[in-house]
Amino acid sequence: LKAQREKRLPCVLTQEEVRRIFSHVTTFHNYAFLTTVYTCGLRLQEALYLQVSDIDSERMMIHVHRGKGAKDRYVPLPEDTLELLRDYWKTHRNPALLFPAKGRSGKKAADSTTPMAIDSVQGAFRRAKNAARIQKRRVSIHTLRHSYATLLLERDVNIRVIQRYLGHSQLETTMIYLH
């Protein structure tokens, strides 16, 4: 018999809490990254490996490659996020990576072949969360994805559409957001 894993409801942030956290993010690259994760409902790894070519500004979609379960999907790209990504890209002009590693000097982003370090974005998020005095437990970058899904639900987006955007193969996984 396999031990049952404890099923906890995901922690969710209000739009105001997300705004408070983002107001404490101190660098433009972390702000652009975290905003993209939140407004597109991405997983941390999916966002890190986004390529410039994944942005479809004609259709206002992002092509997410090899998400969990090696599945590809398209997610809507809000106009404000597209503008932010364009402004951010101008700071590094990397031909392939949207979020390239900057290197110790901060000058290596244009030629980088690796994305930003996970530890650096997680640290930036944790510092901003603490500065914003968010007391909720188990709040991480992944919480932004839960908050995105909950926001869509509150806006009456069909659960099947949310399932597609999040890349869930099982509707049950998406149903968690109905708490």
Side-chain angles (χ1 to χ4, degrees):
L1 234 74
K2 211 167 91 183
Q4 282 288 307
R5 241 184 84 213
E6 191 180 342
K7 292 241 191 321
R8 290 179 172 165
L9 286 177
C11 181
V12 173
L13 298 166
T14 64
Q15 282 182 281
E16 180 50 37
E17 288 170 325
V18 171
R19 245 181 247 115
R20 275 180 27 220
I21 291 171
F22 285 6
S23 74
H24 290 282
V25 175
T26 55
T27 59
F28 189 39
H29 62 272
N30 286 326
Y31 178 78
F33 179 83
L34 294 169
T35 300
T36 304
V37 165
Y38 175 61
T39 60
C40 301
L42 302 177
R43 295 180 179 94
L44 178 58
Q45 290 282 1
E46 292 170 344
L48 280 177
Y49 287 92
L50 278 179
Q51 306 250 330
V52 174
S53 58
D54 295 334
I55 305 299
D56 184 343
S57 53
E58 297 255 310
R59 292 175 51 229
M60 294 306 288
M61 298 294 258
I62 292 179
H63 187 178
V64 179
H65 295 274
R66 298 165 308 283
K68 197 171 179 182
K71 289 188 298 284
D72 283 18
R73 69 182 190 278
Y74 280 94
V75 297
L77 173 62
E79 185 75 47
D80 292 351
T81 306
L82 175 63
E83 291 310 313
L84 176 67
L85 289 173
R86 283 179 170 155
D87 290 343
Y88 175 63
W89 185 82
K90 288 173 193 161
T91 69
H92 64 74
R93 299 186 185 275
N94 185 297
L97 292 171
L98 214 45
F99 298 107
K102 291 173 151 331
R104 288 244 178 261
S105 65
K107 310 239 188 308
K108 303 258 190 273
D111 328 303
S112 181
T113 55
T114 56
M116 299 188 330
I118 276 190
D119 301 352
S120 71
V121 290
Q122 285 175 325
F125 180 81
R126 194 173 43 255
R127 286 188 295 278
K129 177 195 76 166
N130 293 338
R133 295 194 160 89
I134 301 296
Q135 301 296 322
K136 290 179 177 174
R137 294 173 53 185
R138 297 189 331 272
V139 171
S140 67
I141 292 177
H142 199 71
T143 307
L144 296 174
R145 182 172 153 85
H146 295 310
S147 305
Y148 164 82
T150 303
L151 182 64
L152 291 181
L153 256 182
E154 288 168 353
R155 291 184 175 167
D156 294 323
V157 175
N158 182 298
I159 191 86
R160 289 281 183 190
V161 173
I162 298 171
Q163 176 188 8
R164 195 169 62 240
Y165 290 167
L166 294 177
H168 291 157
S169 42
Q170 303 292 318
L171 184 62
E172 286 70 46
T173 312
T174 314
M175 299 287 273
I176 292 168
Y177 299 108
L178 293 173
H179 334 269

